[in-house]
Amino acid sequence: MTDWMIALGFAVAWVVTFKPAWRLLIRLVVAASQPDFRLTNGRFWLDFALYRLIIFVPYVIPLVFASRLPNLLVQLIWAWIGLSIIVSFGRIVGVKQLVSGLWQVYGLVYDGLLNLYPYRHLLELTRDRLELSSANRLLDVGCGTGNLLQLVEPTEGAELVGVDSSSVMLSRARRKLGGRAELVNSELIEFLGLQPDASYDRVALVNVAYAVPNREELWRQCLRVVKPTGRIVMTTSIAPGSKVIVQEHLRHDRWWRLLHPKLLMVGLVDLLISELSRSAVFEFPPQKQLIGEIQRAGGRCSQIERCYGGREQGVNIICTITR
Ligand SMILES: C[S@@+](CC[C@H](N)C(=O)[O-])C[C@H]1O[C@@H](n2cnc3c(N)ncnc32)[C@H](O)[C@@H]1O
């Protein structure tokens, strides 16, 4: 077997195994970062064995054909080193740091999402639902890189406030908005707790509710700070799956925009987010549960609609909440 055939075999193996291997690696780090993690956890070892298998077996096949089966002992040493790195990394950072690091890294690539039609459409839907007018005061909760604020910014006279705990996200937002919005680096619940009653006409939450551990408190605070005549517009994911999002993109925009390197990185970070939701750090609640939470906090949901992947099968809901 020639060298280029071996190289091709490796390339195919890499493409096929990259996603499952990355997913398993994330799962292992997340598991090791949990406060109650023990090395006796059987599930952890099963995932580790699977991870080793996935990154080892496909590479062996071309090597076997080329009669270059690697030394098993070397593989075992690598397995041990890999395990130590995973466990130490998870233990050292802990789940809280892992989450805050996630938002920082996400901030570096987040605007890659602007290449994705469904995301741009989601922001436009949110802007339209807000019906912001001059002299209105808008709070964007978890404003990220300021994409929504940038979209509503031409509304003359409106006062814009954004809050987020990621300094990387906020530095991007500052670059876009200059001094045209007040941007605050703070934990959401803490920030909301400091705001006077009925101090905003509009409150927006775009793709942030799933990341807040105490969601009922989030709804209570948002409903407290919004004026009785005001409204909250919230959109969040209620179902997994990226297929419908890609399909919606292809119906409206060029396919090659999906290959933007930053958007591909967003895809990798999203795998970490979905892994964190499996271990209950994040939660993507179903629609019924979400509406129940909002009602218990004293809110009323109207105009509930699916989006982010189309009106039929979209993975997000967008809803308007009033007191
Ligand atoms: C997926 S991004 C959404 C960004 C933005 N809303 C957009 O236009 O899409 C979630 C944002 O929420 C922020 N976030 C998550 N949990 C937070 C918390 N507890 N306090 C402050 N910000 C938080 C993250 O830093 C991140 O910027």
Side-chain angles (χ1 to χ4, degrees):
M1 185 181 265
T2 57
D3 279 353
W4 74 263
M5 284 173 86
I6 298 172
L8 186 70
F10 273 109
V12 171
W14 190 80
V15 169
V16 172
T17 58
F18 183 75
K19 192 174 164 187
W22 176 248
R23 189 179 271 280
L24 275 166
L25 180 64
I26 288 170
R27 190 176 301 172
L28 291 166
V29 173
V30 170
S33 71
Q34 303 286 335
D36 56 356
F37 171 73
R38 298 277 172 278
L39 261 179
T40 46
N41 181 339
R43 176 72 217 223
F44 179 83
W45 285 103
L46 196 71
D47 283 343
F48 183 70
L50 214 60
Y51 171 65
R52 289 302 310 169
L53 212 68
I54 283 181
I55 63 168
F56 178 64
V57 170
Y59 296 92
V60 172
I61 298 165
L63 285 168
V64 169
F65 276 110
S67 314
R68 291 186 202 173
L69 191 64
N71 184 329
L72 193 64
L73 191 67
V74 175
Q75 279 301 320
L76 285 175
I77 293 170
W78 275 116
W80 180 248
I81 293 172
L83 174 72
S84 315
I85 293 173
I86 290 166
V87 174
S88 323
F89 181 72
R91 297 310 295 157
I92 290 167
V93 294
V95 76
K96 231 176 143 185
Q97 285 302 319
L98 197 67
V99 170
S100 79
L102 160 81
W103 298 127
Q104 297 292 62
V105 173
Y106 211 9
L108 298 173
V109 294
Y110 195 74
D111 282 343
L113 269 176
L114 291 168
N115 289 287
L116 191 67
Y117 170 84
Y119 175 69
R120 297 196 306 272
H121 183 57
L122 184 75
L123 293 177
E124 284 162 7
L125 269 179
T126 310
R127 175 201 55 194
D128 296 348
R129 288 279 188 102
L130 283 167
E131 292 181 15
L132 193 69
S133 55
S134 54
N136 271 179
R137 195 161 186 243
L138 165 72
L139 172 64
D140 187 3
V141 177
C143 63
T145 56
N147 292 329
L148 179 69
L149 292 173
Q150 191 177 33
L151 203 62
V152 299
E153 192 239 311
T155 315
E156 217 157 292
E159 195 184 326
L160 310 178
V161 182
V163 57
D164 203 288
S165 59
S166 160
S167 56
V168 176
M169 292 269 188
L170 284 176
S171 72
R172 300 281 191 281
R174 276 194 195 99
R175 235 178 276 163
K176 287 177 200 164
L177 293 153
R180 297 184 301 279
E182 184 191 341
L183 297 169
V184 184
N185 188 341
S186 169
E187 202 282 323
L188 304 177
I189 303 285
E190 267 174 45
F191 174 83
L192 286 163
L194 296 173
Q195 305 306 298
D197 292 355
S199 45
Y200 293 92
D201 302 280
R202 303 284 186 265
V203 175
L205 298 110
V206 176
N207 287 344
V208 65
Y210 68 84
V212 181
N214 189 354
R215 243 190 344 262
E216 292 216 14
E217 180 61 10
L218 174 71
W219 304 132
R220 259 195 302 277
Q221 289 292 347
C222 287
L223 285 158
R224 183 184 64 76
V225 302
V226 78
K227 291 180 182 167
T229 51
R231 65 171 65 173
I232 301 165
V233 177
M234 179 276 296
T235 172
T236 192
S237 182
I238 53 157
S242 48
K243 196 172 157 201
V244 288
I245 301 174
V246 171
Q247 284 169 342
E248 188 190 15
H249 175 88
L250 295 176
R251 283 196 297 274
H252 298 274
D253 205 342
R254 312 239 181 241
W255 64 267
W256 46 260
R257 294 196 76 180
L258 292 174
L259 301 179
H260 191 285
K262 279 193 176 175
L263 186 56
L264 296 176
M265 294 298 288
V266 165
L268 292 185
V269 178
D270 281 349
L271 286 180
L272 175 54
I273 290 179
S274 78
E275 209 44 59
L276 284 164
S277 74
R278 276 162 166 264
S279 51
V281 179
F282 292 158
E283 190 195 13
F284 294 99
Q287 179 170 330
K288 217 170 143 194
Q289 182 186 330
L290 206 57
I291 293 170
E293 287 171 8
I294 293 167
Q295 284 171 344
R296 278 195 296 283
R300 209 168 52 82
C301 296
S302 57
Q303 277 186 289
I304 303 167
E305 202 184 300
R306 294 285 280 262
C307 56
Y308 212 37
R311 287 183 80 157
E312 302 295 317
Q313 295 170 307
V315 293
N316 267 37
I317 57 163
I318 180 163
C319 78
T320 304
I321 305 166
T322 46
R323 282 170 44 163

